[in-house]
Amino acid sequence: MPASSREIPYPPRVNLARIPTPLEPLSRLGEKLGIELYMKRDDLTGTALTGNKVRKLEFVLADALECGADIVLTCGGAQSNHARATAIAATKLGLHSRLLLRTPDPSSPPPLEGNIMLDRLAGSEIVWITPDEYKRRNEIFEREASALRKSGRKPYIIPEGASNALGSWGYVRAAEELLQDLQGLSGGQADPFTIIHAAGSGGTAAGLIVGALLTGLNARIISVNVCDDRDYFLRAIGKICEDMIAAYRLDLDFSREKNISVVDGYVGRGYALSRPEELALIYDVARTEGIFLDPVYTGKAYFGMVQELERDRHCFGERVIFLHTGGIFGLLPKADEIAQIL
Ligand SMILES: *Cc1c(COP(=O)(O)O)cnc(C)c1O
């Protein structure tokens, strides 16, 4: 039996996200694709403090405050949306932030543009690290944190994407919100929905999956991976779900095989690298609906959805919700590549 919302054991939370976000019908794009298409606009959780990470940070930063932190440490790619959202949210709550960002050569870091510029404007300190160091980031986090403690500071470490058993509660709340959204539509919950989204660190998927089980949301959740592969995400998403179930003693019938669906094959040239056909589709969506997908996540997930539908128009059923998880600032440093497809 799904729990009523009062029974969902949410951890403490701070208000950061402008929610509920709208669920918009996209009839022009839907008609092209031969489906009933909606978009859940989590790109509208804020202006600079925007995207899916804001929902997760509501829970993680509540814990940081509870722990008496004065500085948060987190990590990501050079143009990380998560790092930018953390920098802004931390400042808003009166905390400092330090970001470990990945770049091939830390002695010549990327230019001050897109998310990086916002990180700096929000007062964040950036520590550039190599891809090899990034693999050992937990050691670097510990080293930084212990140096900070020695100088009397109170550091709090937020993992990549705030994708742990705590941050993922942000997407349990989103599942509850979607349940409300669907009740407002004709056909309501009677016909199943497919929810399609981009997966990067797995927390959004885990939160939606656990949230659907907790609320009884009648939807199939499809995760399109933008890095690594299907096996990696079955493990990553599965572990977060299992950690949530154990840590909060949730009585749920969950299994990796039954509850996780990863559609692989759309990483393209690699994480944060674009193909012209992906950018062309971002252009198509922008000029058809006035909505901007991002090149790193939502553009690739949307591209994957379109390709799968071209193979089989019925593969996701008749009603699809594309979850727009944000990322617009990652589009800005791609001007030269975008100029090629206009
Ligand atoms: C981080 C991010 C994602 C992926 O979410 P995860 O919870 O890390 O899997 C998707 N879209 C955008 C725009 C993001 O910044």
Side-chain angles (χ1 to χ4, degrees), residues 50-53 56 79-82 84 160-163 168 171 197-206 226 233 237 271 294 296-298 323-328:
T50 179
N52 62 339
K53 303 310 180 305
K56 304 195 239 180
Q79 283 290 343
S80 168
N81 298 311
H82 162 68
R84 179 254 310 148
E160 183 182 63
S163 286
S168 301
Y171 272 85
H197 76 99
S201 59
T204 300
V226 302
F233 277 96
I237 298 167
Y271 177 75
D294 82 289
V296 183
Y297 297 94
T298 53
L323 173 62
H324 192 332
T325 40
I328 188 166

PDB file of all heavy atoms in Angstrom, residues 50-53 56 79-82 84 160-163 168 171 197-206 226 233 237 271 294 296-298 323-328, ligand 1:
ATOM      1  N   THR A  50      19.133  26.939  -9.991  1.00  0.00           N
ATOM      2  CA  THR A  50      18.105  26.226 -10.748  1.00  0.00           C
ATOM      3  C   THR A  50      18.534  24.810 -11.117  1.00  0.00           C
ATOM      4  O   THR A  50      19.716  24.483 -11.058  1.00  0.00           O
ATOM      5  CB  THR A  50      17.758  27.003 -12.044  1.00  0.00           C
ATOM      6  OG1 THR A  50      16.770  26.280 -12.776  1.00  0.00           O
ATOM      7  CG2 THR A  50      18.961  27.170 -12.944  1.00  0.00           C
ATOM      8  N   GLY A  51      17.560  24.000 -11.504  1.00  0.00           N
ATOM      9  CA  GLY A  51      17.834  22.632 -11.951  1.00  0.00           C
ATOM     10  C   GLY A  51      17.516  21.609 -10.874  1.00  0.00           C
ATOM     11  O   GLY A  51      17.012  21.940  -9.795  1.00  0.00           O
ATOM     12  N   ASN A  52      17.797  20.350 -11.201  1.00  0.00           N
ATOM     13  CA  ASN A  52      17.412  19.256 -10.287  1.00  0.00           C
ATOM     14  C   ASN A  52      18.197  19.260  -8.977  1.00  0.00           C
ATOM     15  O   ASN A  52      17.714  18.784  -7.953  1.00  0.00           O
ATOM     16  CB  ASN A  52      17.548  17.897 -10.997  1.00  0.00           C
ATOM     17  CG  ASN A  52      18.961  17.567 -11.435  1.00  0.00           C
ATOM     18  OD1 ASN A  52      19.810  18.446 -11.585  1.00  0.00           O
ATOM     19  ND2 ASN A  52      19.226  16.289 -11.659  1.00  0.00           N
ATOM     20  N   LYS A  53      19.437  19.814  -8.993  1.00  0.00           N
ATOM     21  CA  LYS A  53      20.252  19.758  -7.782  1.00  0.00           C
ATOM     22  C   LYS A  53      19.630  20.567  -6.646  1.00  0.00           C
ATOM     23  O   LYS A  53      19.889  20.276  -5.476  1.00  0.00           O
ATOM     24  CB  LYS A  53      21.676  20.252  -8.070  1.00  0.00           C
ATOM     25  CG  LYS A  53      22.394  19.497  -9.186  1.00  0.00           C
ATOM     26  CD  LYS A  53      22.331  18.008  -9.025  1.00  0.00           C
ATOM     27  CE  LYS A  53      23.034  17.214 -10.111  1.00  0.00           C
ATOM     28  NZ  LYS A  53      22.651  17.477 -11.504  1.00  0.00           N
ATOM     29  N   LYS A  56      17.651  18.464  -4.327  1.00  0.00           N
ATOM     30  CA  LYS A  56      18.470  17.589  -3.481  1.00  0.00           C
ATOM     31  C   LYS A  56      19.177  18.395  -2.398  1.00  0.00           C
ATOM     32  O   LYS A  56      19.304  17.943  -1.254  1.00  0.00           O
ATOM     33  CB  LYS A  56      19.507  16.859  -4.341  1.00  0.00           C
ATOM     34  CG  LYS A  56      18.888  16.052  -5.490  1.00  0.00           C
ATOM     35  CD  LYS A  56      19.903  15.083  -6.047  1.00  0.00           C
ATOM     36  CE  LYS A  56      20.192  15.281  -7.499  1.00  0.00           C
ATOM     37  NZ  LYS A  56      21.191  14.319  -7.980  1.00  0.00           N
ATOM     38  N   GLN A  79      32.154  22.443 -15.780  1.00  0.00           N
ATOM     39  CA  GLN A  79      30.899  23.196 -15.920  1.00  0.00           C
ATOM     40  C   GLN A  79      29.779  22.557 -15.091  1.00  0.00           C
ATOM     41  O   GLN A  79      28.614  22.582 -15.488  1.00  0.00           O
ATOM     42  CB  GLN A  79      30.494  23.271 -17.404  1.00  0.00           C
ATOM     43  CG  GLN A  79      31.281  24.284 -18.212  1.00  0.00           C
ATOM     44  CD  GLN A  79      30.942  25.725 -17.824  1.00  0.00           C
ATOM     45  OE1 GLN A  79      29.927  26.004 -17.197  1.00  0.00           O
ATOM     46  NE2 GLN A  79      31.818  26.642 -18.206  1.00  0.00           N
ATOM     47  N   SER A  80      30.118  21.996 -13.938  1.00  0.00           N
ATOM     48  CA  SER A  80      29.127  21.288 -13.123  1.00  0.00           C
ATOM     49  C   SER A  80      27.945  22.174 -12.704  1.00  0.00           C
ATOM     50  O   SER A  80      28.130  23.236 -12.091  1.00  0.00           O
ATOM     51  CB  SER A  80      29.828  20.759 -11.859  1.00  0.00           C
ATOM     52  OG  SER A  80      28.874  20.318 -10.922  1.00  0.00           O
ATOM     53  N   ASN A  81      26.741  21.729 -13.031  1.00  0.00           N
ATOM     54  CA  ASN A  81      25.526  22.421 -12.566  1.00  0.00           C
ATOM     55  C   ASN A  81      25.365  22.233 -11.065  1.00  0.00           C
ATOM     56  O   ASN A  81      24.879  23.119 -10.365  1.00  0.00           O
ATOM     57  CB  ASN A  81      24.287  21.860 -13.263  1.00  0.00           C
ATOM     58  CG  ASN A  81      24.341  22.059 -14.759  1.00  0.00           C
ATOM     59  OD1 ASN A  81      24.615  23.164 -15.229  1.00  0.00           O
ATOM     60  ND2 ASN A  81      24.090  20.997 -15.528  1.00  0.00           N
ATOM     61  N   HIS A  82      25.737  21.053 -10.607  1.00  0.00           N
ATOM     62  CA  HIS A  82      25.622  20.753  -9.177  1.00  0.00           C
ATOM     63  C   HIS A  82      26.529  21.668  -8.352  1.00  0.00           C
ATOM     64  O   HIS A  82      26.114  22.204  -7.316  1.00  0.00           O
ATOM     65  CB  HIS A  82      25.971  19.288  -8.912  1.00  0.00           C
ATOM     66  CG  HIS A  82      26.285  19.018  -7.485  1.00  0.00           C
ATOM     67  ND1 HIS A  82      25.325  19.098  -6.498  1.00  0.00           N
ATOM     68  CD2 HIS A  82      27.457  18.740  -6.856  1.00  0.00           C
ATOM     69  CE1 HIS A  82      25.894  18.850  -5.331  1.00  0.00           C
ATOM     70  NE2 HIS A  82      27.171  18.637  -5.519  1.00  0.00           N
ATOM     71  N   ARG A  84      27.665  24.604  -9.203  1.00  0.00           N
ATOM     72  CA  ARG A  84      27.122  25.972  -9.260  1.00  0.00           C
ATOM     73  C   ARG A  84      25.924  26.123  -8.319  1.00  0.00           C
ATOM     74  O   ARG A  84      25.818  27.104  -7.575  1.00  0.00           O
ATOM     75  CB  ARG A  84      26.758  26.323 -10.708  1.00  0.00           C
ATOM     76  CG  ARG A  84      26.151  27.713 -10.895  1.00  0.00           C
ATOM     77  CD  ARG A  84      24.652  27.650 -11.160  1.00  0.00           C
ATOM     78  NE  ARG A  84      24.358  26.695 -12.213  1.00  0.00           N
ATOM     79  CZ  ARG A  84      23.249  25.983 -12.281  1.00  0.00           C
ATOM     80  NH1 ARG A  84      22.318  26.108 -11.352  1.00  0.00           N
ATOM     81  NH2 ARG A  84      23.049  25.129 -13.254  1.00  0.00           N
ATOM     82  N   GLU A 160      29.328  13.971  -5.148  1.00  0.00           N
ATOM     83  CA  GLU A 160      28.996  14.328  -6.534  1.00  0.00           C
ATOM     84  C   GLU A 160      27.475  14.316  -6.748  1.00  0.00           C
ATOM     85  O   GLU A 160      26.808  13.329  -6.429  1.00  0.00           O
ATOM     86  CB  GLU A 160      29.647  13.290  -7.455  1.00  0.00           C
ATOM     87  CG  GLU A 160      29.450  13.552  -8.923  1.00  0.00           C
ATOM     88  CD  GLU A 160      30.088  12.434  -9.754  1.00  0.00           C
ATOM     89  OE1 GLU A 160      29.650  11.271  -9.648  1.00  0.00           O
ATOM     90  OE2 GLU A 160      31.042  12.744 -10.495  1.00  0.00           O
ATOM     91  N   GLY A 161      26.953  15.425  -7.258  1.00  0.00           N
ATOM     92  CA  GLY A 161      25.537  15.496  -7.592  1.00  0.00           C
ATOM     93  C   GLY A 161      24.593  15.488  -6.392  1.00  0.00           C
ATOM     94  O   GLY A 161      23.381  15.416  -6.569  1.00  0.00           O
ATOM     95  N   ALA A 162      25.122  15.581  -5.178  1.00  0.00           N
ATOM     96  CA  ALA A 162      24.315  15.412  -3.947  1.00  0.00           C
ATOM     97  C   ALA A 162      23.492  14.127  -4.036  1.00  0.00           C
ATOM     98  O   ALA A 162      22.381  14.030  -3.524  1.00  0.00           O
ATOM     99  CB  ALA A 162      23.410  16.623  -3.686  1.00  0.00           C
ATOM    100  N   SER A 163      24.087  13.133  -4.726  1.00  0.00           N
ATOM    101  CA  SER A 163      23.378  11.876  -4.972  1.00  0.00           C
ATOM    102  C   SER A 163      23.720  10.848  -3.909  1.00  0.00           C
ATOM    103  O   SER A 163      24.492   9.928  -4.150  1.00  0.00           O
ATOM    104  CB  SER A 163      23.710  11.349  -6.370  1.00  0.00           C
ATOM    105  OG  SER A 163      23.026  12.130  -7.327  1.00  0.00           O
ATOM    106  N   SER A 168      18.691  12.443  -2.357  1.00  0.00           N
ATOM    107  CA  SER A 168      17.701  11.852  -3.253  1.00  0.00           C
ATOM    108  C   SER A 168      16.265  12.023  -2.751  1.00  0.00           C
ATOM    109  O   SER A 168      15.317  11.876  -3.535  1.00  0.00           O
ATOM    110  CB  SER A 168      18.028  10.376  -3.480  1.00  0.00           C
ATOM    111  OG  SER A 168      19.334  10.296  -4.044  1.00  0.00           O
ATOM    112  N   TYR A 171      13.922  14.061  -4.850  1.00  0.00           N
ATOM    113  CA  TYR A 171      13.117  13.486  -5.944  1.00  0.00           C
ATOM    114  C   TYR A 171      11.996  12.579  -5.447  1.00  0.00           C
ATOM    115  O   TYR A 171      11.102  12.227  -6.227  1.00  0.00           O
ATOM    116  CB  TYR A 171      14.005  12.908  -7.051  1.00  0.00           C
ATOM    117  CG  TYR A 171      14.262  14.068  -7.997  1.00  0.00           C
ATOM    118  CD1 TYR A 171      15.296  14.960  -7.757  1.00  0.00           C
ATOM    119  CD2 TYR A 171      13.366  14.366  -9.009  1.00  0.00           C
ATOM    120  CE1 TYR A 171      15.449  16.105  -8.521  1.00  0.00           C
ATOM    121  CE2 TYR A 171      13.504  15.496  -9.784  1.00  0.00           C
ATOM    122  CZ  TYR A 171      14.539  16.365  -9.538  1.00  0.00           C
ATOM    123  OH  TYR A 171      14.651  17.503 -10.294  1.00  0.00           O
ATOM    124  N   HIS A 197      14.235  10.801 -18.152  1.00  0.00           N
ATOM    125  CA  HIS A 197      15.149  11.828 -17.643  1.00  0.00           C
ATOM    126  C   HIS A 197      16.599  11.427 -17.876  1.00  0.00           C
ATOM    127  O   HIS A 197      16.900  10.260 -18.125  1.00  0.00           O
ATOM    128  CB  HIS A 197      14.903  12.046 -16.144  1.00  0.00           C
ATOM    129  CG  HIS A 197      15.477  10.948 -15.312  1.00  0.00           C
ATOM    130  ND1 HIS A 197      16.679  11.067 -14.670  1.00  0.00           N
ATOM    131  CD2 HIS A 197      15.052   9.682 -15.082  1.00  0.00           C
ATOM    132  CE1 HIS A 197      16.957   9.926 -14.065  1.00  0.00           C
ATOM    133  NE2 HIS A 197      15.989   9.074 -14.291  1.00  0.00           N
ATOM    134  N   ALA A 198      17.489  12.398 -17.747  1.00  0.00           N
ATOM    135  CA  ALA A 198      18.930  12.158 -17.895  1.00  0.00           C
ATOM    136  C   ALA A 198      19.509  11.720 -16.557  1.00  0.00           C
ATOM    137  O   ALA A 198      19.190  12.289 -15.522  1.00  0.00           O
ATOM    138  CB  ALA A 198      19.617  13.449 -18.340  1.00  0.00           C
ATOM    139  N   ALA A 199      20.383  10.708 -16.598  1.00  0.00           N
ATOM    140  CA  ALA A 199      21.056  10.241 -15.380  1.00  0.00           C
ATOM    141  C   ALA A 199      22.545  10.548 -15.475  1.00  0.00           C
ATOM    142  O   ALA A 199      23.201  10.231 -16.473  1.00  0.00           O
ATOM    143  CB  ALA A 199      20.843   8.746 -15.188  1.00  0.00           C
ATOM    144  N   GLY A 200      23.078  11.184 -14.420  1.00  0.00           N
ATOM    145  CA  GLY A 200      24.508  11.512 -14.361  1.00  0.00           C
ATOM    146  C   GLY A 200      25.177  10.923 -13.135  1.00  0.00           C
ATOM    147  O   GLY A 200      26.204  10.266 -13.224  1.00  0.00           O
ATOM    148  N   SER A 201      24.586  11.150 -11.973  1.00  0.00           N
ATOM    149  CA  SER A 201      25.125  10.528 -10.760  1.00  0.00           C
ATOM    150  C   SER A 201      24.106   9.615 -10.083  1.00  0.00           C
ATOM    151  O   SER A 201      24.436   8.963  -9.093  1.00  0.00           O
ATOM    152  CB  SER A 201      25.652  11.587  -9.778  1.00  0.00           C
ATOM    153  OG  SER A 201      24.634  12.485  -9.408  1.00  0.00           O
ATOM    154  N   GLY A 202      22.890   9.567 -10.581  1.00  0.00           N
ATOM    155  CA  GLY A 202      21.937   8.541 -10.166  1.00  0.00           C
ATOM    156  C   GLY A 202      20.926   8.948  -9.099  1.00  0.00           C
ATOM    157  O   GLY A 202      19.967   8.218  -8.846  1.00  0.00           O
ATOM    158  N   GLY A 203      21.119  10.106  -8.474  1.00  0.00           N
ATOM    159  CA  GLY A 203      20.239  10.488  -7.366  1.00  0.00           C
ATOM    160  C   GLY A 203      18.823  10.845  -7.797  1.00  0.00           C
ATOM    161  O   GLY A 203      17.855  10.549  -7.081  1.00  0.00           O
ATOM    162  N   THR A 204      18.710  11.461  -8.952  1.00  0.00           N
ATOM    163  CA  THR A 204      17.374  11.814  -9.464  1.00  0.00           C
ATOM    164  C   THR A 204      16.581  10.537  -9.725  1.00  0.00           C
ATOM    165  O   THR A 204      15.418  10.413  -9.309  1.00  0.00           O
ATOM    166  CB  THR A 204      17.514  12.655 -10.746  1.00  0.00           C
ATOM    167  OG1 THR A 204      18.240  13.841 -10.412  1.00  0.00           O
ATOM    168  CG2 THR A 204      16.160  13.027 -11.338  1.00  0.00           C
ATOM    169  N   ALA A 205      17.214   9.584 -10.403  1.00  0.00           N
ATOM    170  CA  ALA A 205      16.555   8.308 -10.693  1.00  0.00           C
ATOM    171  C   ALA A 205      16.171   7.598  -9.394  1.00  0.00           C
ATOM    172  O   ALA A 205      15.028   7.152  -9.230  1.00  0.00           O
ATOM    173  CB  ALA A 205      17.482   7.413 -11.527  1.00  0.00           C
ATOM    174  N   ALA A 206      17.103   7.519  -8.453  1.00  0.00           N
ATOM    175  CA  ALA A 206      16.840   6.799  -7.196  1.00  0.00           C
ATOM    176  C   ALA A 206      15.673   7.440  -6.450  1.00  0.00           C
ATOM    177  O   ALA A 206      14.774   6.744  -5.961  1.00  0.00           O
ATOM    178  CB  ALA A 206      18.095   6.776  -6.326  1.00  0.00           C
ATOM    179  N   VAL A 226      24.157   9.628 -19.425  1.00  0.00           N
ATOM    180  CA  VAL A 226      24.954  10.571 -20.227  1.00  0.00           C
ATOM    181  C   VAL A 226      26.454  10.341 -20.034  1.00  0.00           C
ATOM    182  O   VAL A 226      27.277  11.112 -20.524  1.00  0.00           O
ATOM    183  CB  VAL A 226      24.608  12.041 -19.891  1.00  0.00           C
ATOM    184  CG1 VAL A 226      23.134  12.322 -20.122  1.00  0.00           C
ATOM    185  CG2 VAL A 226      25.022  12.407 -18.471  1.00  0.00           C
ATOM    186  N   PHE A 233      25.090   2.245 -14.091  1.00  0.00           N
ATOM    187  CA  PHE A 233      23.936   2.938 -13.508  1.00  0.00           C
ATOM    188  C   PHE A 233      22.999   1.999 -12.752  1.00  0.00           C
ATOM    189  O   PHE A 233      22.365   2.423 -11.790  1.00  0.00           O
ATOM    190  CB  PHE A 233      23.207   3.780 -14.559  1.00  0.00           C
ATOM    191  CG  PHE A 233      23.875   5.113 -14.738  1.00  0.00           C
ATOM    192  CD1 PHE A 233      24.798   5.311 -15.745  1.00  0.00           C
ATOM    193  CD2 PHE A 233      23.635   6.137 -13.846  1.00  0.00           C
ATOM    194  CE1 PHE A 233      25.462   6.529 -15.874  1.00  0.00           C
ATOM    195  CE2 PHE A 233      24.288   7.358 -13.955  1.00  0.00           C
ATOM    196  CZ  PHE A 233      25.200   7.552 -14.980  1.00  0.00           C
ATOM    197  N   ILE A 237      22.430   3.573  -9.197  1.00  0.00           N
ATOM    198  CA  ILE A 237      21.051   3.898  -8.794  1.00  0.00           C
ATOM    199  C   ILE A 237      20.575   2.887  -7.751  1.00  0.00           C
ATOM    200  O   ILE A 237      19.962   3.241  -6.745  1.00  0.00           O
ATOM    201  CB  ILE A 237      20.108   3.917 -10.023  1.00  0.00           C
ATOM    202  CG1 ILE A 237      20.543   4.991 -11.028  1.00  0.00           C
ATOM    203  CG2 ILE A 237      18.650   4.130  -9.598  1.00  0.00           C
ATOM    204  CD1 ILE A 237      19.868   4.890 -12.408  1.00  0.00           C
ATOM    205  N   TYR A 271      31.113  12.277 -21.987  1.00  0.00           N
ATOM    206  CA  TYR A 271      30.495  13.208 -21.041  1.00  0.00           C
ATOM    207  C   TYR A 271      30.811  14.661 -21.413  1.00  0.00           C
ATOM    208  O   TYR A 271      31.979  15.006 -21.613  1.00  0.00           O
ATOM    209  CB  TYR A 271      30.983  12.910 -19.617  1.00  0.00           C
ATOM    210  CG  TYR A 271      30.422  13.882 -18.613  1.00  0.00           C
ATOM    211  CD1 TYR A 271      29.092  13.790 -18.208  1.00  0.00           C
ATOM    212  CD2 TYR A 271      31.201  14.920 -18.099  1.00  0.00           C
ATOM    213  CE1 TYR A 271      28.562  14.706 -17.302  1.00  0.00           C
ATOM    214  CE2 TYR A 271      30.685  15.831 -17.199  1.00  0.00           C
ATOM    215  CZ  TYR A 271      29.359  15.720 -16.811  1.00  0.00           C
ATOM    216  OH  TYR A 271      28.838  16.634 -15.928  1.00  0.00           O
ATOM    217  N   ASP A 294      19.874  21.425 -22.295  1.00  0.00           N
ATOM    218  CA  ASP A 294      21.313  21.674 -22.130  1.00  0.00           C
ATOM    219  C   ASP A 294      22.098  20.600 -22.872  1.00  0.00           C
ATOM    220  O   ASP A 294      21.585  19.509 -23.129  1.00  0.00           O
ATOM    221  CB  ASP A 294      21.672  21.680 -20.634  1.00  0.00           C
ATOM    222  CG  ASP A 294      21.848  20.273 -20.101  1.00  0.00           C
ATOM    223  OD1 ASP A 294      20.837  19.551 -19.972  1.00  0.00           O
ATOM    224  OD2 ASP A 294      22.992  19.867 -19.840  1.00  0.00           O
ATOM    225  N   VAL A 296      24.755  18.808 -21.964  1.00  0.00           N
ATOM    226  CA  VAL A 296      25.418  17.740 -21.199  1.00  0.00           C
ATOM    227  C   VAL A 296      24.425  16.651 -20.762  1.00  0.00           C
ATOM    228  O   VAL A 296      24.758  15.470 -20.761  1.00  0.00           O
ATOM    229  CB  VAL A 296      26.150  18.336 -19.971  1.00  0.00           C
ATOM    230  CG1 VAL A 296      26.902  17.252 -19.202  1.00  0.00           C
ATOM    231  CG2 VAL A 296      27.100  19.451 -20.403  1.00  0.00           C
ATOM    232  N   TYR A 297      23.206  17.050 -20.402  1.00  0.00           N
ATOM    233  CA  TYR A 297      22.247  16.100 -19.833  1.00  0.00           C
ATOM    234  C   TYR A 297      20.947  16.019 -20.643  1.00  0.00           C
ATOM    235  O   TYR A 297      20.687  15.028 -21.313  1.00  0.00           O
ATOM    236  CB  TYR A 297      21.911  16.481 -18.376  1.00  0.00           C
ATOM    237  CG  TYR A 297      23.085  16.415 -17.440  1.00  0.00           C
ATOM    238  CD1 TYR A 297      23.845  17.544 -17.168  1.00  0.00           C
ATOM    239  CD2 TYR A 297      23.435  15.214 -16.821  1.00  0.00           C
ATOM    240  CE1 TYR A 297      24.928  17.475 -16.302  1.00  0.00           C
ATOM    241  CE2 TYR A 297      24.512  15.149 -15.957  1.00  0.00           C
ATOM    242  CZ  TYR A 297      25.248  16.277 -15.705  1.00  0.00           C
ATOM    243  OH  TYR A 297      26.317  16.206 -14.858  1.00  0.00           O
ATOM    244  N   THR A 298      20.139  17.084 -20.527  1.00  0.00           N
ATOM    245  CA  THR A 298      18.782  16.992 -21.081  1.00  0.00           C
ATOM    246  C   THR A 298      18.782  16.876 -22.607  1.00  0.00           C
ATOM    247  O   THR A 298      17.921  16.208 -23.170  1.00  0.00           O
ATOM    248  CB  THR A 298      17.952  18.214 -20.650  1.00  0.00           C
ATOM    249  OG1 THR A 298      18.665  19.415 -21.003  1.00  0.00           O
ATOM    250  CG2 THR A 298      17.717  18.209 -19.156  1.00  0.00           C
ATOM    251  N   LEU A 323      11.392  14.869 -18.104  1.00  0.00           N
ATOM    252  CA  LEU A 323      11.783  15.662 -16.942  1.00  0.00           C
ATOM    253  C   LEU A 323      12.952  16.571 -17.333  1.00  0.00           C
ATOM    254  O   LEU A 323      14.050  16.089 -17.615  1.00  0.00           O
ATOM    255  CB  LEU A 323      12.188  14.732 -15.789  1.00  0.00           C
ATOM    256  CG  LEU A 323      12.776  15.389 -14.541  1.00  0.00           C
ATOM    257  CD1 LEU A 323      11.775  16.339 -13.884  1.00  0.00           C
ATOM    258  CD2 LEU A 323      13.223  14.313 -13.544  1.00  0.00           C
ATOM    259  N   HIS A 324      12.670  17.877 -17.379  1.00  0.00           N
ATOM    260  CA  HIS A 324      13.728  18.846 -17.717  1.00  0.00           C
ATOM    261  C   HIS A 324      14.465  19.207 -16.435  1.00  0.00           C
ATOM    262  O   HIS A 324      13.931  19.888 -15.567  1.00  0.00           O
ATOM    263  CB  HIS A 324      13.123  20.093 -18.354  1.00  0.00           C
ATOM    264  CG  HIS A 324      14.144  21.006 -18.985  1.00  0.00           C
ATOM    265  ND1 HIS A 324      15.449  21.077 -18.553  1.00  0.00           N
ATOM    266  CD2 HIS A 324      14.045  21.874 -20.026  1.00  0.00           C
ATOM    267  CE1 HIS A 324      16.110  21.950 -19.302  1.00  0.00           C
ATOM    268  NE2 HIS A 324      15.277  22.448 -20.196  1.00  0.00           N
ATOM    269  N   THR A 325      15.712  18.742 -16.337  1.00  0.00           N
ATOM    270  CA  THR A 325      16.458  18.876 -15.086  1.00  0.00           C
ATOM    271  C   THR A 325      17.364  20.115 -15.051  1.00  0.00           C
ATOM    272  O   THR A 325      18.163  20.267 -14.128  1.00  0.00           O
ATOM    273  CB  THR A 325      17.278  17.596 -14.845  1.00  0.00           C
ATOM    274  OG1 THR A 325      17.818  17.169 -16.104  1.00  0.00           O
ATOM    275  CG2 THR A 325      16.408  16.484 -14.290  1.00  0.00           C
ATOM    276  N   GLY A 326      17.262  20.983 -16.062  1.00  0.00           N
ATOM    277  CA  GLY A 326      17.989  22.262 -16.008  1.00  0.00           C
ATOM    278  C   GLY A 326      19.236  22.294 -16.870  1.00  0.00           C
ATOM    279  O   GLY A 326      19.286  21.680 -17.934  1.00  0.00           O
ATOM    280  N   GLY A 327      20.245  23.034 -16.433  1.00  0.00           N
ATOM    281  CA  GLY A 327      21.553  23.013 -17.092  1.00  0.00           C
ATOM    282  C   GLY A 327      21.809  24.089 -18.125  1.00  0.00           C
ATOM    283  O   GLY A 327      22.803  24.016 -18.860  1.00  0.00           O
ATOM    284  N   ILE A 328      20.951  25.110 -18.189  1.00  0.00           N
ATOM    285  CA  ILE A 328      21.067  26.093 -19.281  1.00  0.00           C
ATOM    286  C   ILE A 328      22.443  26.753 -19.349  1.00  0.00           C
ATOM    287  O   ILE A 328      22.936  27.065 -20.435  1.00  0.00           O
ATOM    288  CB  ILE A 328      19.948  27.163 -19.203  1.00  0.00           C
ATOM    289  CG1 ILE A 328      19.973  28.045 -20.452  1.00  0.00           C
ATOM    290  CG2 ILE A 328      20.040  27.992 -17.920  1.00  0.00           C
ATOM    291  CD1 ILE A 328      18.756  28.900 -20.651  1.00  0.00           C
TER     292      ILE A 328
HETATM  293  C1  LIG B   1      23.106  16.580 -12.559  1.00  0.00           C
HETATM  294  C2  LIG B   1      22.165  16.738 -13.680  1.00  0.00           C
HETATM  295  C3  LIG B   1      21.421  15.641 -14.149  1.00  0.00           C
HETATM  296  C4  LIG B   1      21.592  14.243 -13.625  1.00  0.00           C
HETATM  297  O1  LIG B   1      21.025  14.055 -12.374  1.00  0.00           O
HETATM  298  P1  LIG B   1      21.652  12.946 -11.395  1.00  0.00           P
HETATM  299  O2  LIG B   1      20.798  13.009 -10.209  1.00  0.00           O
HETATM  300  O3  LIG B   1      23.065  13.402 -11.134  1.00  0.00           O
HETATM  301  O4  LIG B   1      21.629  11.643 -12.099  1.00  0.00           O
HETATM  302  C5  LIG B   1      20.515  15.851 -15.169  1.00  0.00           C
HETATM  303  N1  LIG B   1      20.365  17.063 -15.723  1.00  0.00           N
HETATM  304  C6  LIG B   1      21.071  18.136 -15.315  1.00  0.00           C
HETATM  305  C7  LIG B   1      20.868  19.423 -16.020  1.00  0.00           C
HETATM  306  C8  LIG B   1      21.996  18.011 -14.277  1.00  0.00           C
HETATM  307  O5  LIG B   1      22.702  19.080 -13.890  1.00  0.00           O
END
